[in-house]
Amino acid sequence: MLSPTSGWIARRRYAILFYALLATIAVGPLLEALDIGRLAMEMLLTASLVAAVFPIGALHKRRTMLVIVALALLLRGLSAYLDSATISAVGAILWGAVALMAVFGAIRYSMSSARVDLEQLYAALSAYLLIGVCWGVVYVAVVKLYPGALLLGGQPLPRGLGMGDAIYFSFVTLATLGYGDFTPATPVMRGLSVFEAIIGQLYLAIMVARLVSLRVATVSSE
């Protein structure tokens, strides 16, 4: 039997995930400018990934995902310590796999009922934010493997790609804003960017619009 605190968390698991992701996106890049910025960003990413795993219903699946999360975070730490692009890429793949399962779970939950409540809206919005953060992690790994994959003002990145810039580029791409300061310069990076832009547009056009309309219908019938 769940305690009152555990029950409250379980009922608001996607709201918690949404605000954890929002903090990572909004606060993380600002903290990255400080001396402890990289550590703070990693802590925010860790919190977001753990929050993404928590809504997975089955306990054994959740435990498996937490083990993968721990392994992904270990590889991220090792890649920074050893400056290894290969380890960073493997860590990004694991991070992306966990995030993809969390996105699938959030979408399935948000579509599970004809009557939409706030928690289902939070699930749909969390899936969108999680896609953007996940792609940012992947972009960092790609730039480590291929330093010329992303250009800034037409020039190679002088100090590599930090998570703050990666998340910025990811959401600019996801929302198809197209500021033009960062430019994908290799087929792999261009393919990832185009794929993310397509997902972003389809998601907003289909998923969020449907859920909002259902929510309006639910409120109108009450």
Side-chain angles (χ1 to χ4, degrees):
M1 184 177 180
L2 294 176
S3 66
T5 301
S6 299
W8 184 88
I9 293 174
R11 290 191 300 273
R12 293 164 176 81
R13 57 195 186 277
Y14 282 110
I16 294 171
L17 172 58
F18 173 77
Y19 288 112
L21 290 167
L22 203 60
T24 301
I25 295 163
V27 180
L30 298 178
L31 293 176
E32 203 170 27
L34 304 177
D35 292 337
I36 60 170
R38 186 181 180 282
L39 177 61
M41 175 60 85
E42 289 297 328
M43 291 176 65
L44 286 171
L45 285 172
T46 301
S48 296
L49 201 56
V50 171
V53 170
F54 184 79
I56 297 175
L59 182 59
H60 68 281
K61 290 183 179 179
R62 195 183 310 153
R63 287 174 175 172
T64 301
M65 289 297 100
L66 287 174
V67 170
I68 297 175
V69 168
L71 181 58
L73 294 173
L74 176 62
L75 290 174
R76 284 180 61 80
L78 282 176
S79 70
Y81 179 75
L82 301 174
D83 195 22
S84 171
T86 302
I87 295 177
S88 176
V90 175
I93 290 172
L94 291 177
W95 210 104
V98 174
L100 185 62
M101 290 193 65
V103 168
F104 176 76
I107 293 174
R108 184 173 61 180
Y109 175 80
S110 66
M111 300 288 288
S112 62
S113 174
R115 295 177 63 85
V116 180
D117 58 19
L118 285 177
E119 187 66 6
Q120 287 172 310
L121 286 177
Y122 275 128
L125 294 172
S126 296
Y128 183 79
L129 296 184
L130 196 56
I131 291 170
V133 173
C134 174
W135 239 271
V137 173
V138 173
Y139 287 143
V140 170
V142 171
V143 170
K144 283 188 176 181
L145 284 171
Y146 307 102
L150 192 66
L151 304 178
L152 176 59
Q155 300 296 324
L157 301 174
R159 292 175 295 178
L161 183 64
M163 273 305 307
D165 286 337
I167 289 176
Y168 161 77
F169 174 69
S170 178
F171 278 96
V172 166
T173 304
L174 187 67
T176 63
L177 294 176
Y179 288 140
D181 45 359
F182 286 96
T183 307
T186 64
V188 171
M189 186 63 82
R190 289 169 181 165
L192 288 171
S193 301
V194 169
F195 190 39
E196 184 181 20
I198 291 172
I199 288 176
Q201 292 304 295
L202 290 178
Y203 192 94
L204 291 177
I206 298 173
M207 172 65 73
V208 176
R210 179 181 183 276
L211 290 176
V212 170
S213 65
L214 288 175
R215 176 62 180 170
V216 171
T218 299
V219 173
S220 300
S221 63
E222 291 177 351

